[in-house]
Amino acid sequence: MKKALVCGAGGFIGGHLVNRLKKEGYWVRGVDLKDNEYGNNNADEFIIGDLRDVKIVSEVVTQDLDEVYQLAADMGGAGFVFTGDNDSDIMHNSALCNLNVLEEVRIKGIKKIFYSSSACMYPEYNQMDPDNPKCSEDSAYPAAPDSEYGWEKLFSERLYLTYGRNHGIDVKIARFHNIFGPLGTWDGGREKAPAALCRKVAETPEGGIIEVWGDGKQTRSFLLVDECVEGIRRLMESDFHGPVNIGSEEMISINDFAKMIIDISGKEITIRNIKGPTGVAGRNSDNKLIREKLEWAPSMSLREGTEITYKWISEQVREKQAANV
Ligand code: NAD
């Protein structure tokens, strides 16, 4: 039986990844600062611990592991990453997790590690035109991410690559593009655009108005978490190291995405665009490399993923409203 450690197992993607590994027959240890808030805690062993602490890291990274998945990061949506208020935490906390885990993987002689980077590491200058963003893997340099979150990801990608080169560790790096789905953060300030928009629509009565940050013309693509996890596992099983994009190529403007969610809800709701942190003007996954190297790419439509996500978030909203009555 293969043994895996999932760092950040209490988080959104980590929780789903644990389930997938369990389904495949792995024994899984999870580690996180906290339990998964939606009860998605299915690891065989779950350790509450801080990966900034080398003592914890040496406890959880044991020699018997076949694979480590490093997804722990101090992160959130635009309201967390682009305000500037959390920059030092983002850089310090996430870099420490990566430095500690990777060094312990080297010490314990573990052969394979996965690292979750982000599309936020791509240069801002290629993402100024909402209709023609460029996010091919080879467009990363000259580096110019628009957030410290992106800079930390870029630094850590390079860190992982050095451990691959200097210590022979089989390093796999994916650049995720806006992953969404059930059992993800949907309120509290760290939620990302899809969850925030689903929540706003679910909370708004017929005939109401939702606020959307920016002019609504900014473009993005969104990938359902199941396909993200599929991509992670395919990358791990391949002989390709990356960095490689794991994202959807179905680009949409934020206002059109909000309209799609409103349509799914079946309600009459109006959009009001307001000032707010938005990030780059345009971003879309480029899946040429993943298709070439893994002979696979995500294929689910945005509408299908959004229907699944809206259903879950509207249930959460209903339960919360019922609890507050
Ligand atoms: P998440 O916030 O739900 O999960 C991250 C987890 O890491 C959290 O549960 C958090 O408690 C944990 N963590 C943070 N600091 C820690 C520490 N010091 N010690 C132990 N655990 C710690 O986020 P997610 O959406 O599941 O993202 C997982 C990874 O994928 C992150 O590295 C993130 O940067 C990356 N990513 C996510 C997206 C996305 O759209 N969700 C996009 C690009 C990249």
Side-chain angles (χ1 to χ4, degrees):
M1 185 190 269
K2 274 194 176 176
K3 287 191 163 189
L5 170 69
V6 177
C7 303
F12 167 50
I13 304 171
H16 284 276
L17 178 61
V18 168
N19 296 341
R20 170 64 188 257
L21 291 169
K22 289 289 303 159
K23 246 191 228 152
E24 288 188 39
Y26 278 71
W27 181 92
V28 185
R29 176 181 297 140
V31 58
D32 202 296
L33 287 173
K34 55 158 185 70
D35 277 333
N36 182 281
E37 60 210 294
Y38 309 111
N40 196 18
N41 289 306
N42 299 311
D44 296 279
E45 183 182 38
F46 190 90
I47 295 171
I48 300 283
D50 189 336
L51 295 166
R52 290 169 299 182
D53 179 347
V54 282
K55 262 184 30 213
I56 296 286
V57 176
S58 80
E59 271 170 43
V60 298
V61 180
T62 49
Q63 269 168 344
D64 56 346
L65 293 170
D66 298 287
E67 295 168 2
V68 172
Y69 294 81
Q70 203 321 68
L71 288 91
D74 200 356
M75 68 92 73
F80 183 76
V81 165
F82 296 117
T83 58
D85 297 343
N86 306 300
D87 286 351
S88 63
D89 279 348
I90 288 170
M91 294 206 98
H92 176 264
N93 296 340
S94 300
L96 263 189
C97 291
N98 287 314
L99 287 160
N100 289 346
V101 170
L102 199 43
E103 177 61 4
E104 199 62 29
V105 159
R106 181 191 70 76
I107 292 169
K108 299 283 167 59
I110 293 156
K111 304 270 181 310
K112 220 186 222 188
I113 185 163
F114 171 85
Y115 173 57
S116 53
S117 182
S118 164
C120 288
M121 47 62 63
Y122 284 115
E124 185 176 17
Y125 57 76
N126 279 335
Q127 301 173 85
M128 311 284 258
D129 176 358
D131 297 323
N132 290 297
K134 185 174 177 191
C135 292
S136 56
E137 288 81 350
D138 61 2
S139 70
Y141 296 96
D146 71 329
S147 67
E148 301 303 348
Y149 172 75
W151 277 105
E152 190 282 326
K153 289 291 187 194
L154 199 56
F155 161 76
S156 290
E157 278 191 7
R158 299 187 68 96
L159 177 74
Y160 280 79
L161 291 171
T162 62
Y163 273 67
R165 284 200 303 274
N166 296 162
H167 305 297
I169 300 170
D170 188 0
V171 162
K172 312 285 193 186
I173 302 172
R175 295 172 178 161
F176 297 160
H177 289 244
N178 288 311
I179 312 304
F180 77 124
L183 306 173
T185 306
W186 59 277
D187 66 353
R190 284 189 187 236
E191 64 278 18
K192 303 186 80 183
L197 292 174
C198 286
R199 187 201 68 230
K200 289 179 188 183
V201 171
E203 285 173 347
T204 303
E206 180 72 28
I209 296 173
I210 59 160
E211 291 182 338
V212 175
W213 291 350
D215 62 9
K217 292 184 183 138
Q218 66 272 30
T219 53
R220 291 294 184 276
S221 68
F222 304 97
L223 183 70
L224 192 75
V225 65
D226 300 22
E227 290 210 294
C228 171
V229 168
E230 180 70 31
I232 296 173
R233 288 294 302 128
R234 283 178 183 260
L235 177 60
M236 281 300 263
E237 293 303 309
S238 77
D239 54 11
F240 184 53
H241 302 286
V244 65
N245 291 329
I246 295 187
S248 160
E249 282 181 324
E250 191 182 335
M251 192 170 82
I252 188 166
S253 76
I254 293 298
N255 272 4
D256 283 348
F257 186 40
K259 282 180 201 155
M260 181 188 281
I261 299 169
I262 292 167
D263 187 50
I264 289 169
S265 79
K267 294 189 262 189
E268 285 288 329
I269 290 176
T270 314
I271 295 168
R272 180 191 296 144
N273 289 105
I274 59 160
K275 258 190 139 173
T278 55
V280 291
R283 175 172 293 152
N284 193 13
S285 186
D286 180 326
N287 290 348
K288 193 165 166 274
L289 187 67
I290 195 167
R291 244 182 243 116
E292 182 191 319
K293 298 292 181 185
L294 304 187
E295 294 176 353
W296 172 88
S299 58
M300 187 188 280
S301 73
L302 176 61
R303 175 90 191 190
E304 198 180 334
T306 307
E307 281 171 359
I308 293 167
T309 307
Y310 182 76
K311 184 170 180 290
W312 181 77
I313 292 180
S314 56
E315 280 162 14
Q316 303 305 302
V317 168
R318 262 199 307 278
E319 277 173 28
K320 197 171 172 179
Q321 286 169 342
N324 289 339
V325 170

